[in-house]
């Protein structure tokens, strides 16, 4: 199934209980509200499907796994209600990922920025290849990694999360992300990464669904309040994005894109 979205898509494919959900956007796989909504909807639907044994989350393209929030949509936000609605999209995706009984494998083939780091952190097992640098750029935009923060902190720990959140202008290498626990595996080549994903997904598809469900509930123990927490965090970002600082940053960024 492919859901076409203006200048992008979300595609779902299935084979022998292995479901692959792929997203794409021409602006470095950024995440507009429509893609966020569709990702959350499709992940939730697979959670209800007893034929689904394991979920692979990936993006199209070669260079960037995900560049985070769509700057076009950030620039269009004019009030706190719209801001809350947009950033709630990230909350919905993360909450859908943690709630489904199946394990989710993230395929991280390239740079991972902002909300993209949140997707990798919310996956149960992230497999990456060299070049999958990571950056939480939100503070530079005038907001902060508020919505994705709980997922990133849960996976990397407070120290590593704070390092990423504070040093918002610089990428950390993929090996740093592996050593901190964001990536379970790091491969030299895309081929090696994909071979490992095939191996693991096939193993999980043949494993006990009941055992996996119980195991995942243990992994995510203590996050039951995230339905409310992530919406509260979305409201913070939705307010801050209205500041003159954020508006100027986004306008300057978009102007540079047009001239480059």
């Amino acid at each position: 199934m492919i859901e076409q979205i203006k200048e992008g898509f979300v595609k779902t494919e299935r084979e022998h209980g292995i479901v692959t959900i792929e997203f794409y956007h021409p602006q470095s796989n950024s995440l507009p509200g429509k893609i966020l909504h569709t990702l959350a909807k499709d992940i939730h639907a697979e959670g209800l499907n007893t034929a689904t044994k394991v979920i692979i989350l990936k993006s199209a393209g070669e260079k960037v796994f995900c560049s985070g929030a769509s700057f076009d949509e950030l620039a269009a936000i004019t009030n706190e209600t719209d801001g809350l609605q947009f950033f709630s999209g990230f909350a919905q995706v993360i909450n859908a990922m943690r709630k489904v009984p199946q394990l989710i494998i993230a395929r991280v083939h390239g740079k991972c920025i902002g909300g993209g780091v949140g997707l990798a952190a919310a996956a149960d097992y992230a497999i990456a290849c060299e070049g999958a640098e990571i950056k939480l750029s939100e503070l530079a935009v005038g907001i902060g990694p508020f919505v994705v923060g709980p997922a990133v902190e849960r996976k990397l720990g407070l120290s590593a999360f704070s390092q990423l959140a504070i040093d918002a202008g610089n990428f950390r290498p993929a090996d740093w992300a592996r050593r901190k626990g964001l990536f379970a595996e790091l491969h030299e080549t895309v081929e090696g990464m994909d071979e490992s994903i095939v191996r693991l997904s096939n193993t999980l598809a043949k494993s006990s669904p009941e055992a996996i469900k119980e195991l995942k509930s243990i992994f995510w123990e203590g996050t039951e309040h995230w339905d409310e927490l992530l919406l509260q965090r979305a409201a913070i970002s939705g307010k801050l994005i209205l500041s003159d600082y954020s508006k100027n940053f986004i306008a300057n960024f978009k102007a540079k894109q047009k001239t480059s």
Side-chain angles (χ1 to χ4, degrees):
M1 180 188 72
I2 301 178
E3 180 155 352
Q4 294 290 348
I5 297 167
K6 184 180 180 182
E7 298 184 332
F9 64 78
V10 175
K11 178 170 62 175
T12 302
E13 297 179 338
R14 63 187 69 250
E15 184 178 4
H16 306 305
I18 301 170
V19 172
T20 300
I21 299 176
E22 179 181 32
F23 65 92
Y24 169 74
H25 193 275
Q27 293 179 344
S28 300
N29 282 330
S30 62
L31 296 171
K34 182 63 175 177
I35 285 182
L36 289 168
H37 173 76
T38 304
L39 280 174
K41 176 176 63 71
D42 288 358
I43 293 168
H44 174 73
E46 295 306 329
L48 300 176
N49 188 347
T50 57
T52 300
K53 306 304 181 184
V54 60
I55 298 171
I56 299 171
L57 180 64
K58 62 182 289 188
S59 62
E62 298 179 353
K63 294 183 179 180
V64 181
F65 167 68
C66 179
S67 62
S70 164
F71 271 39
D72 286 343
E73 293 202 8
L74 291 181
I77 295 173
T78 59
N79 57 70
E80 292 186 24
T81 300
D82 290 345
L84 171 62
Q85 181 177 357
F86 174 74
F87 287 104
S88 293
F90 289 95
Q92 291 165 4
V93 174
I94 291 173
N95 279 324
M97 292 176 72
R98 72 176 177 86
K99 287 180 177 181
V100 293
Q102 301 90 346
L103 294 173
I104 299 177
I105 302 170
R107 178 189 184 273
V108 186
H109 68 271
K111 289 184 176 179
C112 201
I113 305 166
V117 179
L119 293 183
D124 299 293
Y125 199 96
I127 301 178
C129 63
E130 296 291 348
E133 302 174 314
I134 68 170
K135 176 171 70 171
L136 287 178
S137 57
E138 286 89 343
L139 186 60
V141 184
I143 52 177
F146 298 112
V147 181
V148 302
V152 178
E153 182 181 346
R154 168 185 169 272
K155 187 61 70 73
L156 280 73
L158 179 58
S159 177
F161 166 56
S162 65
Q163 291 170 38
L164 286 172
I166 292 169
D167 191 9
N170 290 317
F171 280 98
R172 302 288 173 126
D175 185 61
W176 185 91
R178 181 195 61 80
R179 288 184 283 109
K180 298 299 182 182
L182 179 65
F183 301 148
E185 299 179 22
L186 182 62
H187 296 267
E188 292 184 358
T189 65
V190 171
E191 292 77 15
M193 173 185 63
D194 286 335
E195 287 175 5
S196 185
I197 291 172
V198 169
R199 174 196 60 80
L200 181 59
S201 59
N202 277 294
T203 298
L204 293 175
K206 297 172 184 175
S207 300
S208 164
E210 294 80 9
I212 286 176
K213 179 180 179 180
E214 294 298 334
L215 192 59
K216 180 153 182 174
S217 68
I218 291 173
F219 291 159
W220 287 90
E221 188 174 359
T223 65
E224 295 80 7
H225 64 298
W226 280 21
D227 283 334
E228 295 77 23
L229 174 65
L230 298 192
L231 287 179
Q232 293 170 3
R233 298 289 185 85
I236 297 174
S237 292
K239 179 179 180 179
L240 288 173
I241 200 63
L242 299 172
S243 69
D244 290 340
Y245 183 99
S246 289
K247 291 297 184 185
N248 291 334
F249 181 93
I250 294 169
N252 290 335
F253 180 86
K254 289 172 66 66
K256 289 179 181 179
Q257 280 189 319
K258 289 181 180 180
T259 58
S260 61

